[in-house]
Every structure is written in structure tokens, then in C-alpha cells.
Amino acid sequence: MKKRIPLKGAALLLALALLPGLTACGQSGAEESSLPAASSSGAPAEQTDSDADGEASLLSPEESDPEPEEASDMDEEGDASLLTPEESETEPEDPDPDPDTAYEYTLCFAGDVNLAEGQYTTAALDAYGVSGCVSETLRSYMTGADIMCLNNEFTFSTRGSPLSGKTYTYRANPSRVSVLEALGVDIAVLANNHIYDYGADALLDTLDTLDNAGIARIGAGQNLEEASAIYYAELENCTVAYIAASRVEWSGQTQPATSERPGTFYTAYDTDLLYQRVEEAKEQADFVVVYMHWGIEGTSNLEEYQTEVGAALVDAGADLVIGDHPHQLQGVHYYNDVPIFYSLGNYWFSRKEEYTMLVNVTLKGDKNGVDEVAYQIVPAYQKASATVTWLEDPDSQRAMYDYLEGLPGSNITVDDDGMMTES
């Protein structure tokens, strides 16, 4: 059940993260000034044994009062270390975090990506290359993150035939996996209604293609055990667990995995195994992410089950819930201090003009666990040219943040730097 991911130089990134003045990811050029810098904390100050006034033991007998006074807990110039536990009225403070185990990591998330042959995105890709299709600032967030995750809504294969009766079927040449590598993708979500578009052979080819590229995959597999498996991303002193599941398939053609056949981790009729996986992950990881394929396409309105399942996932132990499938942004709702992103929408999927975004999550902590989490919205726009660009203009950024705050179910505030909190 436990799978672990080889990550991008985790030890080196840890060392860099502890240096003051570095950002979470390497922005450069004219866009850099608009991005908030990541903060870092220095080592705790050393404690001295005594202050400049010295210790009472240096006084001569002549300088002391002839009659001894009753001992007080601590005089103005005394040393707290002389007090017995019974004499002390305050509890000792917890020691400062060990600088050798302190960390600051970033997790980055994007929504739906489609690199299938014959699509507008791949036509743009062939014409302009990756750098011409995804703007530099967005790529810097993606490649600079310690773990980058997105929804891989197509299959990598040259085998199989499109499923009969299905309107849209997506298959990419396996060589296009290099695009995911160029974007810094560490984890590809396969729990969606297009990963089985060309049948079992194409799904198995997709698993092999990602494995050979060193990209982890969640939400589909050779059987249910693999499709529902938790992926444990091991960073130094911090373990992040990832689980992906789907509960949408209008035509019933995306095959659910069983003990004997490949398919997706399909949870429309039974969520017990999903909650079990979350509970298991919570016992072994410092931070648990669940990526859900759910909702109705083309609407920002939420289905009742999205809110119910989202809350149940948090109750089971999820620290973050990310959703997709509607192909547009949906609201963000905090439940018990945990954000549920109901849909990240299309990231790089079509030529439809619409808002999109990256979610950049900063985890701070030490060997004892995560003690601070910050969420940043990286505003973007999918253009008619089937490319995606960062929204650089502050007024455009503010308009996007206002849009996100106003979506059904949202209870968030996003400041002008894109930092998100519960409203």
C-alpha cells in the first residue's frame, strides 16, 4: 500500500529553504517583483547563564545583611536555575525548534491538463513549445515546488480504440510525457473520466509511461489495490500523503478498478474504502492531500454530495481537498480549518477563455510535524490560443481574487498578494 516518490533534490531544497531571503520558487525577470517572497527563520538566540550584574555568591559576608531573610522564589538579580520545581510557579517553555530539522516546503497544484493528439493545446504546443504555452512565472512556481501535482486527463498510448459512444476521447503519444517533465510534475492524477478512453491497454501504457519518466501516479492502476493506493512523498523530516478518487462518469464507460482488472478508484457508490485510505494516511503522514474528480461540468454551482463528501474527507483526516472535473473554477470552502477547493478548473485543456490558477501551499514545521500552513492563489488565465498565462496586472489579479471569493460555497478572503485565509 505504501508508495514513495523520488523528489527533486529534497536535501538540497531543505538547505536552501533555511537560507534567509529565498523565495519558495525561483521567479526571475520583470515578473519577479510582483511575487511575495517566502520568509525564513534564523536559529534561536543562545541563552546566557547570568546577566551583567553577576551572581549573589560574589558578595562578601560583610556586604550581606546580618540576619538572613527568608528565601524568595527569585530576586531581581537571581538565577532561575537555582529554584527547585516546588519553588517555581511557571512551567518551562518548550524548546525552540531544532534548526537541523526545521523545514519549509511548497506543494503546488493545477487542475485539468490535456495533451492529447489533435487538440488545440497540442497544436499550440507544437507551434510554440512549452515556454510559449505556459508563461514563465507559472512555470517557475511549478518547477520550483517541492511537489507538483496536476490532473492528467488523457491517456499516454499508441494502442487501443476510442470507446464507442463516447463524445470526447483523449490519447497522447507517450513522447509527450516530456511536457510534464518540463513543467516539473511530480504526481499525475489519473482518477478521471478520460483515463480509460482507449481501453485497458492504453491505461496500462499510461502507467508504464509515467513510471518510466519517474512521475508518480494516483487514482488508477492495474487493480483496485493499486488504484486506491496512498502515495507517500518523503521530504526530509516531513511526509506528505496523496490519494485520488473519482465519482463521475456519465456514460459508465470509465472502468472502475477491481481486484482483478485495471481501472480508476471509483467511489460513486461506495466511499468506505476512500475514507479508510484517508484514515490510514493520517496515521503515517504529516500532511494528507485528497484529490477528487467530482461535480457537474460547466457550472460553478456545487452538488450536495460535494459538500458532504468534502466534509467527510476532512473528518477522516484530510488536511487539504483539491477537486476538478467541472472544467471551470468552483468555490473554496473552509471546513474545520481545512480548505476544500471544489474545482481548480481547466489549467491547460482547451481554447476556452476563462480564469484558472495554481494553488501554492507552504508547509512549515520540524521533525515533530507541520505547525504552519499558508495558501497562495497564483492567478492565471486560459486564453483562446490554447495557452495559459499568469495575470500580471494588479487590477486583473484583484478581479480574479474577487471572482473566486464570490463563487458559491466560498468563505475565503484573498489579499492582494494572493494569500488566502478563511473569512
Side-chain angles (χ1 to χ4, degrees):
M1 185 61 57
K2 179 178 273 192
K3 295 188 175 182
R4 301 183 184 276
I5 181 172
L7 293 173
K8 297 176 284 192
L12 176 58
L13 286 170
L14 173 64
L16 292 174
L18 295 175
L19 292 175
L22 291 181
T23 58
C25 53
Q27 297 87 9
S28 62
E31 297 170 331
E32 180 177 4
S33 62
S34 299
L35 297 178
S39 61
S40 59
S41 56
E46 295 183 2
Q47 296 180 344
T48 58
D49 291 333
S50 62
D51 61 14
D53 293 327
E55 299 182 0
S57 60
L58 298 179
L59 297 177
S60 65
E62 291 75 19
E63 292 175 294
S64 62
D65 292 334
E67 295 295 329
E69 295 182 357
E70 293 184 4
S72 61
D73 285 348
M74 178 176 177
D75 63 16
E76 184 176 352
E77 299 175 358
D79 190 339
S81 64
L82 300 178
L83 300 178
T84 66
E86 293 76 17
E87 295 172 319
S88 176
E89 295 181 355
T90 60
E91 293 291 332
E93 294 183 359
D94 291 333
D96 289 331
D98 183 350
D100 292 333
T101 67
Y103 57 74
E104 180 175 326
Y105 295 125
T106 55
L107 318 178
C108 194
F109 299 88
D112 306 330
V113 170
N114 183 2
L115 300 178
E117 307 306 321
Q119 300 302 305
Y120 292 112
T121 49
T122 45
L125 178 64
D126 292 340
Y128 312 126
V130 174
S131 62
C133 291
V134 182
S135 67
E136 180 182 0
T137 294
L138 297 177
R139 284 185 284 112
S140 70
Y141 273 96
M142 298 175 76
T143 59
D146 293 290
I147 309 173
M148 174 65 217
C149 176
L150 54 72
N151 180 39
N152 190 109
E153 196 148 3
F154 59 95
T155 186
F156 283 112
S157 183
T158 58
R159 296 195 296 165
S161 300
L163 294 180
S164 177
K166 195 165 190 181
T167 305
Y168 300 104
T169 54
Y170 302 130
R171 182 180 64 176
N173 189 291
S175 64
R176 296 214 187 261
V177 74
S178 63
V179 177
L180 299 188
E181 295 173 307
L183 293 175
V185 175
D186 296 297
I187 303 176
V189 175
L190 305 183
N192 58 62
N193 58 304
H194 287 290
I195 201 62
Y196 202 81
D197 280 355
Y198 282 75
D201 287 341
L203 170 59
L204 296 176
D205 287 346
T206 303
L207 305 181
D208 289 342
T209 299
L210 293 168
D211 289 347
N212 291 336
I215 297 173
R217 27 80 174 189
I218 52 176
Q222 299 180 62
N223 50 50
L224 180 58
E225 182 75 8
E226 184 174 286
S228 66
I230 307 161
Y231 212 102
Y232 292 91
E234 295 288 1
L235 298 164
E236 190 167 349
N237 297 313
C238 181
T239 300
V240 183
Y242 289 80
I243 304 165
S246 176
R247 61 167 295 151
V248 294
E249 176 48 62
W250 297 116
S251 64
Q253 293 174 306
T254 299
Q255 181 168 281
T258 69
S259 60
E260 299 178 348
R261 71 184 188 191
T264 63
F265 184 20
Y266 189 60
T267 61
Y269 304 114
D270 187 353
T271 53
D272 289 348
L273 181 58
L274 174 60
Y275 301 147
Q276 180 183 323
R277 291 288 184 260
V278 176
E279 291 168 357
E280 179 184 342
K282 190 65 173 179
E283 292 177 355
Q284 302 192 59
D286 299 289
F287 195 80
V288 178
V289 178
V290 181
Y291 207 119
M292 291 296 302
H293 205 70
W294 58 8
I296 303 295
E297 293 183 6
T299 180
S300 60
N301 294 323
L302 304 176
E303 293 292 285
E304 183 177 357
Y305 80 79
Q306 288 178 269
T307 60
E308 292 174 350
V309 173
L313 289 170
V314 175
D315 289 338
D319 296 296
L320 172 62
V321 178
I322 300 286
D324 62 8
H325 177 65
H327 295 294
Q328 66 179 66
L329 294 180
Q330 289 187 333
V332 186
H333 183 81
Y334 273 85
Y335 171 77
N336 287 350
D337 299 324
V338 172
I340 302 169
F341 290 81
Y342 285 109
S343 174
L344 297 191
N346 287 337
Y347 183 65
W348 184 23
F349 193 89
S350 67
R351 63 176 182 175
K352 181 180 178 182
E353 295 206 345
E354 59 187 344
Y355 285 130
T356 184
M357 63 186 185
L358 295 173
V359 177
N360 209 49
V361 183
T362 302
L363 305 181
K364 294 183 181 180
D366 59 20
K367 64 182 179 181
N368 297 313
V370 175
D371 55 33
E372 184 179 343
V373 186
Y375 297 91
Q376 182 185 17
I377 304 300
V378 183
Y381 198 76
Q382 183 182 254
K383 302 170 70 174
S385 56
T387 61
V388 58
T389 187
W390 176 59
L391 292 178
E392 181 175 6
D393 177 66
D395 290 339
S396 298
Q397 293 180 356
R398 186 67 258 166
M400 187 272 183
Y401 301 148
D402 292 344
Y403 173 79
L404 190 61
E405 291 175 352
L407 288 172
S410 283
N411 63 349
I412 59 169
T413 298
V414 184
D415 70 16
D416 288 343
D417 291 324
M419 303 309 296
M420 186 189 80
T421 54
E422 183 176 5
S423 59

mmCIF file with all atom_site columns, all heavy atoms in Angstrom, residues 197-214:
data_model
loop_
_atom_site.group_PDB
_atom_site.id
_atom_site.type_symbol
_atom_site.label_atom_id
_atom_site.label_alt_id
_atom_site.label_comp_id
_atom_site.label_asym_id
_atom_site.label_entity_id
_atom_site.label_seq_id
_atom_site.pdbx_PDB_ins_code
_atom_site.Cartn_x
_atom_site.Cartn_y
_atom_site.Cartn_z
_atom_site.occupancy
_atom_site.B_iso_or_equiv
_atom_site.pdbx_formal_charge
_atom_site.auth_seq_id
_atom_site.auth_comp_id
_atom_site.auth_asym_id
_atom_site.auth_atom_id
_atom_site.pdbx_PDB_model_num
ATOM 1   N N   . ASP A 1 197 ? -10.213 6.148  -21.914 1.00 0.00 ? 197 ASP A N   1
ATOM 2   C CA  . ASP A 1 197 ? -10.844 6.448  -23.205 1.00 0.00 ? 197 ASP A CA  1
ATOM 3   C C   . ASP A 1 197 ? -10.495 5.455  -24.299 1.00 0.00 ? 197 ASP A C   1
ATOM 4   O O   . ASP A 1 197 ? -11.273 5.256  -25.244 1.00 0.00 ? 197 ASP A O   1
ATOM 5   C CB  . ASP A 1 197 ? -10.454 7.856  -23.673 1.00 0.00 ? 197 ASP A CB  1
ATOM 6   C CG  . ASP A 1 197 ? -11.265 8.944  -22.995 1.00 0.00 ? 197 ASP A CG  1
ATOM 7   O OD1 . ASP A 1 197 ? -12.188 8.614  -22.233 1.00 0.00 ? 197 ASP A OD1 1
ATOM 8   O OD2 . ASP A 1 197 ? -10.972 10.131 -23.243 1.00 0.00 ? 197 ASP A OD2 1
ATOM 9   N N   . TYR A 1 198 ? -9.311  4.858  -24.226 1.00 0.00 ? 198 TYR A N   1
ATOM 10  C CA  . TYR A 1 198 ? -8.875  3.918  -25.264 1.00 0.00 ? 198 TYR A CA  1
ATOM 11  C C   . TYR A 1 198 ? -8.698  2.506  -24.702 1.00 0.00 ? 198 TYR A C   1
ATOM 12  O O   . TYR A 1 198 ? -7.974  1.687  -25.270 1.00 0.00 ? 198 TYR A O   1
ATOM 13  C CB  . TYR A 1 198 ? -7.588  4.415  -25.916 1.00 0.00 ? 198 TYR A CB  1
ATOM 14  C CG  . TYR A 1 198 ? -7.845  5.526  -26.920 1.00 0.00 ? 198 TYR A CG  1
ATOM 15  C CD1 . TYR A 1 198 ? -8.145  6.810  -26.497 1.00 0.00 ? 198 TYR A CD1 1
ATOM 16  C CD2 . TYR A 1 198 ? -7.814  5.282  -28.287 1.00 0.00 ? 198 TYR A CD2 1
ATOM 17  C CE1 . TYR A 1 198 ? -8.409  7.831  -27.403 1.00 0.00 ? 198 TYR A CE1 1
ATOM 18  C CE2 . TYR A 1 198 ? -8.067  6.286  -29.206 1.00 0.00 ? 198 TYR A CE2 1
ATOM 19  C CZ  . TYR A 1 198 ? -8.374  7.559  -28.751 1.00 0.00 ? 198 TYR A CZ  1
ATOM 20  O OH  . TYR A 1 198 ? -8.637  8.555  -29.667 1.00 0.00 ? 198 TYR A OH  1
ATOM 21  N N   . GLY A 1 199 ? -9.379  2.223  -23.604 1.00 0.00 ? 199 GLY A N   1
ATOM 22  C CA  . GLY A 1 199 ? -9.398  0.868  -23.079 1.00 0.00 ? 199 GLY A CA  1
ATOM 23  C C   . GLY A 1 199 ? -8.253  0.519  -22.151 1.00 0.00 ? 199 GLY A C   1
ATOM 24  O O   . GLY A 1 199 ? -7.410  1.362  -21.803 1.00 0.00 ? 199 GLY A O   1
ATOM 25  N N   . ALA A 1 200 ? -8.238  -0.756 -21.749 1.00 0.00 ? 200 ALA A N   1
ATOM 26  C CA  . ALA A 1 200 ? -7.297  -1.229 -20.739 1.00 0.00 ? 200 ALA A CA  1
ATOM 27  C C   . ALA A 1 200 ? -5.849  -1.134 -21.195 1.00 0.00 ? 200 ALA A C   1
ATOM 28  O O   . ALA A 1 200 ? -4.966  -0.743 -20.422 1.00 0.00 ? 200 ALA A O   1
ATOM 29  C CB  . ALA A 1 200 ? -7.639  -2.666 -20.358 1.00 0.00 ? 200 ALA A CB  1
ATOM 30  N N   . ASP A 1 201 ? -5.561  -1.483 -22.450 1.00 0.00 ? 201 ASP A N   1
ATOM 31  C CA  . ASP A 1 201 ? -4.174  -1.443 -22.917 1.00 0.00 ? 201 ASP A CA  1
ATOM 32  C C   . ASP A 1 201 ? -3.601  -0.033 -22.851 1.00 0.00 ? 201 ASP A C   1
ATOM 33  O O   . ASP A 1 201 ? -2.445  0.167  -22.447 1.00 0.00 ? 201 ASP A O   1
ATOM 34  C CB  . ASP A 1 201 ? -4.083  -1.963 -24.358 1.00 0.00 ? 201 ASP A CB  1
ATOM 35  C CG  . ASP A 1 201 ? -4.257  -3.472 -24.439 1.00 0.00 ? 201 ASP A CG  1
ATOM 36  O OD1 . ASP A 1 201 ? -4.095  -4.149 -23.408 1.00 0.00 ? 201 ASP A OD1 1
ATOM 37  O OD2 . ASP A 1 201 ? -4.569  -3.978 -25.540 1.00 0.00 ? 201 ASP A OD2 1
ATOM 38  N N   . ALA A 1 202 ? -4.396  0.948  -23.254 1.00 0.00 ? 202 ALA A N   1
ATOM 39  C CA  . ALA A 1 202 ? -3.922  2.333  -23.219 1.00 0.00 ? 202 ALA A CA  1
ATOM 40  C C   . ALA A 1 202 ? -3.727  2.808  -21.778 1.00 0.00 ? 202 ALA A C   1
ATOM 41  O O   . ALA A 1 202 ? -2.784  3.562  -21.481 1.00 0.00 ? 202 ALA A O   1
ATOM 42  C CB  . ALA A 1 202 ? -4.900  3.241  -23.951 1.00 0.00 ? 202 ALA A CB  1
ATOM 43  N N   . LEU A 1 203 ? -4.596  2.366  -20.871 1.00 0.00 ? 203 LEU A N   1
ATOM 44  C CA  . LEU A 1 203 ? -4.403  2.711  -19.464 1.00 0.00 ? 203 LEU A CA  1
ATOM 45  C C   . LEU A 1 203 ? -3.101  2.117  -18.946 1.00 0.00 ? 203 LEU A C   1
ATOM 46  O O   . LEU A 1 203 ? -2.309  2.813  -18.282 1.00 0.00 ? 203 LEU A O   1
ATOM 47  C CB  . LEU A 1 203 ? -5.576  2.213  -18.624 1.00 0.00 ? 203 LEU A CB  1
ATOM 48  C CG  . LEU A 1 203 ? -5.390  2.291  -17.102 1.00 0.00 ? 203 LEU A CG  1
ATOM 49  C CD1 . LEU A 1 203 ? -5.126  3.722  -16.653 1.00 0.00 ? 203 LEU A CD1 1
ATOM 50  C CD2 . LEU A 1 203 ? -6.595  1.708  -16.376 1.00 0.00 ? 203 LEU A CD2 1
ATOM 51  N N   . LEU A 1 204 ? -2.856  0.862  -19.239 1.00 0.00 ? 204 LEU A N   1
ATOM 52  C CA  . LEU A 1 204 ? -1.620  0.226  -18.781 1.00 0.00 ? 204 LEU A CA  1
ATOM 53  C C   . LEU A 1 204 ? -0.390  0.892  -19.388 1.00 0.00 ? 204 LEU A C   1
ATOM 54  O O   . LEU A 1 204 ? 0.643   1.040  -18.720 1.00 0.00 ? 204 LEU A O   1
ATOM 55  C CB  . LEU A 1 204 ? -1.650  -1.260 -19.119 1.00 0.00 ? 204 LEU A CB  1
ATOM 56  C CG  . LEU A 1 204 ? -2.741  -2.075 -18.407 1.00 0.00 ? 204 LEU A CG  1
ATOM 57  C CD1 . LEU A 1 204 ? -2.740  -3.523 -18.902 1.00 0.00 ? 204 LEU A CD1 1
ATOM 58  C CD2 . LEU A 1 204 ? -2.575  -2.028 -16.899 1.00 0.00 ? 204 LEU A CD2 1
ATOM 59  N N   . ASP A 1 205 ? -0.495  1.321  -20.646 1.00 0.00 ? 205 ASP A N   1
ATOM 60  C CA  . ASP A 1 205 ? 0.610   2.064  -21.269 1.00 0.00 ? 205 ASP A CA  1
ATOM 61  C C   . ASP A 1 205 ? 0.859   3.379  -20.535 1.00 0.00 ? 205 ASP A C   1
ATOM 62  O O   . ASP A 1 205 ? 2.014   3.814  -20.388 1.00 0.00 ? 205 ASP A O   1
ATOM 63  C CB  . ASP A 1 205 ? 0.301   2.358  -22.737 1.00 0.00 ? 205 ASP A CB  1
ATOM 64  C CG  . ASP A 1 205 ? 0.391   1.115  -23.617 1.00 0.00 ? 205 ASP A CG  1
ATOM 65  O OD1 . ASP A 1 205 ? 0.945   0.097  -23.163 1.00 0.00 ? 205 ASP A OD1 1
ATOM 66  O OD2 . ASP A 1 205 ? -0.129  1.166  -24.761 1.00 0.00 ? 205 ASP A OD2 1
ATOM 67  N N   . THR A 1 206 ? -0.208  4.011  -20.079 1.00 0.00 ? 206 THR A N   1
ATOM 68  C CA  . THR A 1 206 ? -0.078  5.269  -19.337 1.00 0.00 ? 206 THR A CA  1
ATOM 69  C C   . THR A 1 206 ? 0.671   5.048  -18.030 1.00 0.00 ? 206 THR A C   1
ATOM 70  O O   . THR A 1 206 ? 1.561   5.841  -17.660 1.00 0.00 ? 206 THR A O   1
ATOM 71  C CB  . THR A 1 206 ? -1.467  5.861  -19.044 1.00 0.00 ? 206 THR A CB  1
ATOM 72  O OG1 . THR A 1 206 ? -2.163  6.054  -20.281 1.00 0.00 ? 206 THR A OG1 1
ATOM 73  C CG2 . THR A 1 206 ? -1.362  7.186  -18.315 1.00 0.00 ? 206 THR A CG2 1
ATOM 74  N N   . LEU A 1 207 ? 0.335   3.973  -17.333 1.00 0.00 ? 207 LEU A N   1
ATOM 75  C CA  . LEU A 1 207 ? 1.029   3.656  -16.087 1.00 0.00 ? 207 LEU A CA  1
ATOM 76  C C   . LEU A 1 207 ? 2.521   3.453  -16.349 1.00 0.00 ? 207 LEU A C   1
ATOM 77  O O   . LEU A 1 207 ? 3.364   3.991  -15.617 1.00 0.00 ? 207 LEU A O   1
ATOM 78  C CB  . LEU A 1 207 ? 0.435   2.396  -15.453 1.00 0.00 ? 207 LEU A CB  1
ATOM 79  C CG  . LEU A 1 207 ? -1.075  2.373  -15.188 1.00 0.00 ? 207 LEU A CG  1
ATOM 80  C CD1 . LEU A 1 207 ? -1.479  1.060  -14.523 1.00 0.00 ? 207 LEU A CD1 1
ATOM 81  C CD2 . LEU A 1 207 ? -1.522  3.559  -14.356 1.00 0.00 ? 207 LEU A CD2 1
ATOM 82  N N   . ASP A 1 208 ? 2.838   2.696  -17.396 1.00 0.00 ? 208 ASP A N   1
ATOM 83  C CA  . ASP A 1 208 ? 4.249   2.431  -17.718 1.00 0.00 ? 208 ASP A CA  1
ATOM 84  C C   . ASP A 1 208 ? 4.972   3.712  -18.132 1.00 0.00 ? 208 ASP A C   1
ATOM 85  O O   . ASP A 1 208 ? 6.130   3.930  -17.755 1.00 0.00 ? 208 ASP A O   1
ATOM 86  C CB  . ASP A 1 208 ? 4.346   1.404  -18.856 1.00 0.00 ? 208 ASP A CB  1
ATOM 87  C CG  . ASP A 1 208 ? 3.947   -0.004 -18.413 1.00 0.00 ? 208 ASP A CG  1
ATOM 88  O OD1 . ASP A 1 208 ? 3.928   -0.264 -17.192 1.00 0.00 ? 208 ASP A OD1 1
ATOM 89  O OD2 . ASP A 1 208 ? 3.636   -0.830 -19.290 1.00 0.00 ? 208 ASP A OD2 1
ATOM 90  N N   . THR A 1 209 ? 4.306   4.548  -18.921 1.00 0.00 ? 209 THR A N   1
ATOM 91  C CA  . THR A 1 209 ? 4.939   5.789  -19.389 1.00 0.00 ? 209 THR A CA  1
ATOM 92  C C   . THR A 1 209 ? 5.305   6.692  -18.223 1.00 0.00 ? 209 THR A C   1
ATOM 93  O O   . THR A 1 209 ? 6.424   7.240  -18.160 1.00 0.00 ? 209 THR A O   1
ATOM 94  C CB  . THR A 1 209 ? 4.003   6.537  -20.350 1.00 0.00 ? 209 THR A CB  1
ATOM 95  O OG1 . THR A 1 209 ? 3.743   5.719  -21.495 1.00 0.00 ? 209 THR A OG1 1
ATOM 96  C CG2 . THR A 1 209 ? 4.616   7.856  -20.807 1.00 0.00 ? 209 THR A CG2 1
ATOM 97  N N   . LEU A 1 210 ? 4.393   6.860  -17.292 1.00 0.00 ? 210 LEU A N   1
ATOM 98  C CA  . LEU A 1 210 ? 4.671   7.702  -16.130 1.00 0.00 ? 210 LEU A CA  1
ATOM 99  C C   . LEU A 1 210 ? 5.737   7.083  -15.238 1.00 0.00 ? 210 LEU A C   1
ATOM 100 O O   . LEU A 1 210 ? 6.628   7.781  -14.737 1.00 0.00 ? 210 LEU A O   1
ATOM 101 C CB  . LEU A 1 210 ? 3.382   7.948  -15.349 1.00 0.00 ? 210 LEU A CB  1
ATOM 102 C CG  . LEU A 1 210 ? 2.337   8.799  -16.076 1.00 0.00 ? 210 LEU A CG  1
ATOM 103 C CD1 . LEU A 1 210 ? 0.991   8.754  -15.357 1.00 0.00 ? 210 LEU A CD1 1
ATOM 104 C CD2 . LEU A 1 210 ? 2.810   10.251 -16.214 1.00 0.00 ? 210 LEU A CD2 1
ATOM 105 N N   . ASP A 1 211 ? 5.657   5.768  -15.048 1.00 0.00 ? 211 ASP A N   1
ATOM 106 C CA  . ASP A 1 211 ? 6.668   5.098  -14.227 1.00 0.00 ? 211 ASP A CA  1
ATOM 107 C C   . ASP A 1 211 ? 8.060   5.275  -14.833 1.00 0.00 ? 211 ASP A C   1
ATOM 108 O O   . ASP A 1 211 ? 9.026   5.561  -14.116 1.00 0.00 ? 211 ASP A O   1
ATOM 109 C CB  . ASP A 1 211 ? 6.351   3.609  -14.112 1.00 0.00 ? 211 ASP A CB  1
ATOM 110 C CG  . ASP A 1 211 ? 5.128   3.325  -13.247 1.00 0.00 ? 211 ASP A CG  1
ATOM 111 O OD1 . ASP A 1 211 ? 4.673   4.249  -12.545 1.00 0.00 ? 211 ASP A OD1 1
ATOM 112 O OD2 . ASP A 1 211 ? 4.618   2.186  -13.290 1.00 0.00 ? 211 ASP A OD2 1
ATOM 113 N N   . ASN A 1 212 ? 8.168   5.111  -16.129 1.00 0.00 ? 212 ASN A N   1
ATOM 114 C CA  . ASN A 1 212 ? 9.471   5.232  -16.794 1.00 0.00 ? 212 ASN A CA  1
ATOM 115 C C   . ASN A 1 212 ? 10.008  6.657  -16.732 1.00 0.00 ? 212 ASN A C   1
ATOM 116 O O   . ASN A 1 212 ? 11.228  6.867  -16.783 1.00 0.00 ? 212 ASN A O   1
ATOM 117 C CB  . ASN A 1 212 ? 9.366   4.775  -18.247 1.00 0.00 ? 212 ASN A CB  1
ATOM 118 C CG  . ASN A 1 212 ? 9.133   3.284  -18.367 1.00 0.00 ? 212 ASN A CG  1
ATOM 119 O OD1 . ASN A 1 212 ? 9.474   2.518  -17.476 1.00 0.00 ? 212 ASN A OD1 1
ATOM 120 N ND2 . ASN A 1 212 ? 8.541   2.858  -19.482 1.00 0.00 ? 212 ASN A ND2 1
ATOM 121 N N   . ALA A 1 213 ? 9.107   7.629  -16.638 1.00 0.00 ? 213 ALA A N   1
ATOM 122 C CA  . ALA A 1 213 ? 9.527   9.030  -16.539 1.00 0.00 ? 213 ALA A CA  1
ATOM 123 C C   . ALA A 1 213 ? 9.809   9.446  -15.101 1.00 0.00 ? 213 ALA A C   1
ATOM 124 O O   . ALA A 1 213 ? 10.230  10.578 -14.855 1.00 0.00 ? 213 ALA A O   1
ATOM 125 C CB  . ALA A 1 213 ? 8.444   9.931  -17.137 1.00 0.00 ? 213 ALA A CB  1
ATOM 126 N N   . GLY A 1 214 ? 9.562   8.554  -14.152 1.00 0.00 ? 214 GLY A N   1
ATOM 127 C CA  . GLY A 1 214 ? 9.785   8.893  -12.749 1.00 0.00 ? 214 GLY A CA  1
ATOM 128 C C   . GLY A 1 214 ? 8.720   9.796  -12.180 1.00 0.00 ? 214 GLY A C   1
ATOM 129 O O   . GLY A 1 214 ? 8.953   10.502 -11.197 1.00 0.00 ? 214 GLY A O   1
#
